[in-house]
Amino acid sequence: MSQRYLLGTFEREEDIVGVVKKVRELNYKIVDVYTPYAVHGLERTAGFAPSRLPWVCFALGLFGALFKVWFEFWTTASDWAINVGGKPWNSLPAYVPITFEVMVLFAGLSTVFAFFWSSRLFPGKKPIMPDIRVTNDRFVLVLEQEDSTFDVAKVQRIFKRFNTVKVEERQEGGQG
Amino acid sequence: MADLYSTLRQPLIAGNKSLGEVTNDVSGVLERKTSPLWWRAFMASLLFLLIGAAAITYQVATGIGTWGLNRTVGWAFDITNFVFWIGIGHAGTLISAVLFLFRQRWRTSVNRAAEAMTIIAVMCAGLFPLIHMGRPWLAFWMFPYPNMRGSLWVNFRSPLVWDFFAISTYFTISLVFWYVGLLPDLATIRDRAKAGIRKKIFGLLSLGWNGSLRTWNRYEVLYLLLAGLATPLVVSVHTIVSWDFATAVIPGWHSTILPPYFVAGAIFSGMAMVLTLMIIARKVMGLEDYITLRHLDVMSKLIIVTGSIVGLAYATEFFIAMYSENPYETFLFKNRALGPFAWAYWTMVLCNVISPQLLWFKRIRRNVAWVFVLTILINVGMWFERFVIVVTSLHRDYLPSSWTYYTPTLIEVLTLLGSFGLFFTGFLLFCRFLPVIAMAEVKGVLSHGHRSVRSGSR
Amino acid sequence: MNPQARTFELPERFRTLTTVFAVIGGAGLLLGAVLAPERAWLNLLLGGHYLLGLALGALFFLAITYVSGAGWCVVLRRVPEALTGTLPVGTLIMVAALLIGVSGLFPWLELTGGAEHHDVGFKTVWFGVPFFLARAAICLVIWLGFARAIIANSRKQDEDGDDDHTRNNIKLSAGFLVLFALSVSVASFDWVMSLEPDWYSTIFAIYYFSGIFVNALATILVLLVWLRWRGILVDMVTEEHLHDLGKLLFGFTTFWMYIWFSQYMLIWYANLSEEVVYFVKRTSGAWEPLFLANMVVNWVVPFFFLLSRGAKRNERVLFRVGVVLMIGHWLDLYIMIFPSFSPTTPPFGLWEVAGALGTIGILFLAFAWQFGKAEYFPKRDPFLAESRHHHQ
């Protein structure tokens, strides 16, 4: 069964926010929304689940910090202990700075890579976009026509109410 | 979703721009032919860079005996330049991360350029410890890898090793933060470009970004997390730089206030440098609608805040030196103000504490020429601050027979000039090939302040 | 339309309880003045620092939000305003503590009085009693003056709705911040650091400031949540406002830890005898567990409990963490003040209990007195609409 999609293009933030809210209320299936900039709160309006990136950040940051404390202790106090300036073998206050730096490094890099991975972003990827202008000044809402009850004319009327500039239907593969 | 703004608010971006106009204004500059002005500036910077490169080649080949150091002053020009450049970098992270957390929306016009400045400044800074090693090809010894010497590990108790970790982490995270911020804009430029090399390069760099809300959703969380990490990071970096000095027992270096004092000083100098660069860029690139007088005003206020903290730190150090009744501390601070380097000390005070007070006046904050001159003075003053801290604490030590003076050699001065060459070369390349203003962020604040609502009307 | 604002009265039972606390505190310390003058004085000093610091921290919060043009916090501004309004109370206690102190208890008095002192050093001049008291008077007058002016402007705006009050407060705040930085430095050196007359640390003023500001934020949150549980400001102050306050609290507890660590690490690392004496006292004997507990209470607990977004939006979590921090600040001051007089054992007994109870009682009574003087929120502030519709 081939998938059919309905795409509405909008020009203003208020319109895209309004239309997303409306189609959500009417329980249409939002495939995706394309925007030129981050519209705050739109992901909640569209009903997308919150990202789990904070967990990656927390876990890897904690791991980095613990690893570094152990590593500094092991190298400085155990593997080859050297007396430097009469400081104790286990100079915990002196380990804090690098532990912090390594924690930030682990947490930061791992979160960025997790972001690339979960968003499937990589060099050489061909961007799949409904309209070339979504990175410039257009907002596009993509709905899936789940079954025969999907009333294209009705949805078009909703789109019209939010000042749509273009409505089109596409078969599978035509969009992202 | 309509935001409500008090009538006391003003629009962030002037000229009532549409989304498309933002894209045109910012990317248009990159698509036009290179201007002769840019070429002239670039050639001049490149010349300085080459002079610096020659000086570095010479001192690496000959040895760092080419510097003006002596038995008493064992640390001077090189470390001054290092701290100076690292400090410059701090404003970029402040604007991109700290002000993001504090939701200062005006930052969107300047954060991209400030972050680029950070990255280049950190590169300039990294140059100096590298040269100082004398054998820069062995720099990787700083990294704690299992080796054939034991394994003999690096000394994790040493602030210089902390510095290595701090600077490399700072560089990495700043670069990543900057790149993540660039992604949507790289895609914008890709989609404007006609087929060809430009489209290919930007296509590769933008990683297939398509503006999907699912990606934006994660992107915003990522940005928040990176900002949350970069904020303590930027504080830690200059803190650790200050510990290079403060962990020693030398009067003038060993002072507990150094960490916050250095961080404030770093932001102070960096903010001045951002303003210097932005004042030129807005004029040359015609970005006055984006970097408005209001931006100069707000950033000048940040300069007053950080500059005042620096001034307070000077006063506190002086006071505690007297209060402690420690003869060495007392002598050191008297010597700073009245000794042979008094000229450097008073240059510092004049540029960092006295002249910035003019910024209390709104008329001066909104006068481009005045702000430009004052920021240049601050740049000079902050360089002298580090010079004063490093050199005046050393040149008259506990043994009066070894008291001496310090004068930099030509090689040292040329290396400093070379670092400026590197800085401006890098910044000019950035201005030429990448969007100077974060389009995707500015678009998000276009409406800010345009729909005013009187209090209590809803 | 704005919901109608009203004024506040402390619930009957709560009023009785806090009055009892205040009376116990007052009577206890009066008794102490006879039986154990030094301990009673130290507790009076601690209480003075606690209450004065709280009011100053709240005033700093007001000033910094005015200067930065922050609109979000306008709906809850009356809480820090009322805390600022308690400044005269803290001032009175501090004045009493200072006057009693200079009459024989400050350990630096021997530097200035004795004829044997042939060498006139900096401290001999600095700690001359009239000069010392004059400095204290200047600091207190500056704070009282700015507190009064800023609060008066805000309350006047309720009546005439004039935007100029906001503009005036922005200017006043900028002036206050400059003078505050100088005066709080002097005050912290004079009233705390000087308890160890031979010791010095240039970061000390910032350390002192970070403590009072964290405590002010924690107390604002605790009072705000407490008021909401009593049905006040319920629909005005939303999760978003709590979230922002939570973020500030999270940030500044970490700032406190950073400043604490900077001071400790540098002194530990350099290991100079005249400096380490401070930490040697505070890590010896029974002081050590308290020294470690100080970090746990003031940083570890707030850090891990407030790390997640959900926690910063949860008023129960915020309330509990706030209370922990209010106790934490007491402990922090205790560790700053007491070991100078009792180097091996942390004294804890009747006088400390009386001091702490008195502080709590006076805090609530003074807050209620001030909070009752104006409406619950500045109803005609030009940023009110923005603050009410505050979201992320």
Side-chain angles (χ1 to χ4, degrees), chain B residues 28-148:
Chain B
V29 183
L30 311 175
E31 289 154 4
R32 260 174 257 138
K33 247 185 88 135
T34 316
S35 73
L37 189 64
W38 186 88
W39 274 113
R40 256 176 276 153
F42 183 71
M43 291 322 254
S45 312
L46 202 61
L47 182 69
F48 278 108
L49 175 58
L50 290 175
I51 292 171
I56 292 170
T57 314
Y58 174 75
Q59 61 198 297
V60 170
T62 318
I64 50 178
T66 51
W67 296 354
L69 301 177
N70 48 53
R71 264 182 314 166
T72 316
V73 183
W75 236 18
F77 222 69
D78 183 77
I79 194 79
T80 302
N81 297 337
F82 163 73
V83 182
F84 172 75
W85 281 118
I86 281 288
I88 296 289
H90 278 47
T93 320
L94 178 94
I95 292 175
S96 57
V98 182
L99 297 184
F100 175 77
L101 295 183
F102 279 96
R103 271 188 253 115
Q104 298 288 315
R105 302 250 157 79
W106 57 269
R107 67 180 265 292
T108 52
S109 300
V110 285
N111 74 334
R112 169 72 41 75
E115 285 172 50
M117 183 197 79
T118 293
I119 292 162
I120 305 163
V122 175
M123 282 169 17
C124 291
L127 207 59
F128 291 96
L130 214 59
I131 304 169
H132 203 157
M133 284 174 186
R135 296 177 178 78
W137 52 91
L138 295 180
F140 64 93
W141 282 14
M142 294 295 287
F143 195 79
Y145 64 100
N147 54 58
M148 303 289 280

Side-chain angles (χ1 to χ4, degrees), chain C residues 80-134:
Chain C
E81 244 174 60
L83 270 179
T84 307
T86 67
L87 192 64
V89 178
T91 304
L92 275 181
I93 296 173
M94 187 51 93
V95 167
L98 294 180
L99 287 175
I100 297 171
V102 294
S103 66
L105 285 158
F106 271 118
W108 40 258
L109 282 165
E110 62 197 62
L111 292 175
T112 51
E116 309 102 80
H117 248 275
H118 36 265
D119 195 20
V120 176
F122 184 85
K123 276 184 191 143
T124 324
V125 180
W126 183 256
F127 285 129
V129 171
F131 188 27
F132 175 85
L133 289 178

Side-chain angles (χ1 to χ4, degrees), chain A residues 123-170:
Chain A
K125 185 188 179 187
K126 284 259 166 295
I128 306 153
M129 320 160 70
D131 183 333
I132 195 113
R133 284 176 72 175
V134 292
T135 56
N136 179 8
D137 58 353
R138 286 287 187 271
F139 301 82
V140 177
L141 168 63
V142 182
L143 293 182
E144 187 180 329
Q145 305 188 11
E146 282 172 291
D147 45 39
S148 52
T149 58
F150 190 93
D151 184 352
V152 175
K154 186 180 166 202
V155 177
Q156 275 183 341
R157 274 200 303 281
I158 297 172
F159 283 7
K160 276 263 151 46
R161 234 189 304 145
F162 291 96
N163 311 313
T164 182
V165 285
K166 196 166 75 179
V167 183
E168 61 182 308
E169 279 190 82
R170 284 194 200 168

Side-chain angles (χ1 to χ4, degrees), chain B residues 387-410:
Chain B
F387 182 80
V388 165
I389 293 173
V390 176
V391 178
T392 62
S393 308
L394 293 176
H395 83 118
R396 286 183 162 175
D397 60 5
Y398 293 109
L399 193 64
S401 63
S402 56
W403 285 8
T404 181
Y405 197 72
Y406 163 80
T407 324
T409 60
L410 182 64

Side-chain angles (χ1 to χ4, degrees), chain B residues 370-443:
Chain B
W370 267 107
V371 174
F372 188 71
V373 171
L374 288 173
T375 55
I376 299 274
L377 285 180
I378 293 169
N379 284 320
V380 173
M382 283 308 290
W383 188 89
F384 271 101
E385 180 195 293
R386 280 63 175 253
F387 182 80
V388 165
I389 293 173
V390 176
V391 178
T392 62
S393 308
L394 293 176
H395 83 118
R396 286 183 162 175
D397 60 5
Y398 293 109
L399 193 64
S401 63
S402 56
W403 285 8
T404 181
Y405 197 72
Y406 163 80
T407 324
T409 60
L410 182 64
I411 287 295
E412 286 175 288
V413 176
L414 292 181
T415 312
L416 173 61
L417 287 182
S419 69
F420 273 97
L422 174 62
F423 182 71
F424 285 109
T425 308
F427 196 77
L428 283 163
L429 286 172
F430 156 72
C431 289
R432 185 70 199 96
F433 293 108
L434 291 169
V436 182
I437 285 178
M439 293 183 273
E441 291 199 49
V442 165
K443 286 173 187 172

Side-chain angles (χ1 to χ4, degrees), chain B residues 194-261:
Chain B
K194 316 263 164 347
I197 185 83
R198 173 185 209 87
K199 185 145 196 126
K200 280 225 177 66
I201 291 174
F202 279 94
L204 215 56
L205 289 176
S206 57
L207 309 182
W209 179 275
N210 62 356
S212 149
L213 183 62
R214 290 178 197 282
T215 313
W216 276 123
N217 182 13
R218 294 186 198 101
Y219 177 90
E220 284 202 275
V221 173
L222 172 70
Y223 205 92
L224 183 68
L225 290 170
L226 284 179
L229 289 169
T231 301
L233 178 65
V234 70
V235 172
S236 83
V237 170
H238 228 69
T239 295
I240 289 174
V241 168
S242 81
W243 287 340
D244 289 347
F245 303 100
T247 49
V249 291
I250 294 173
W253 285 6
H254 177 66
S255 177
T256 48
I257 204 175
L258 246 67
Y261 155 36

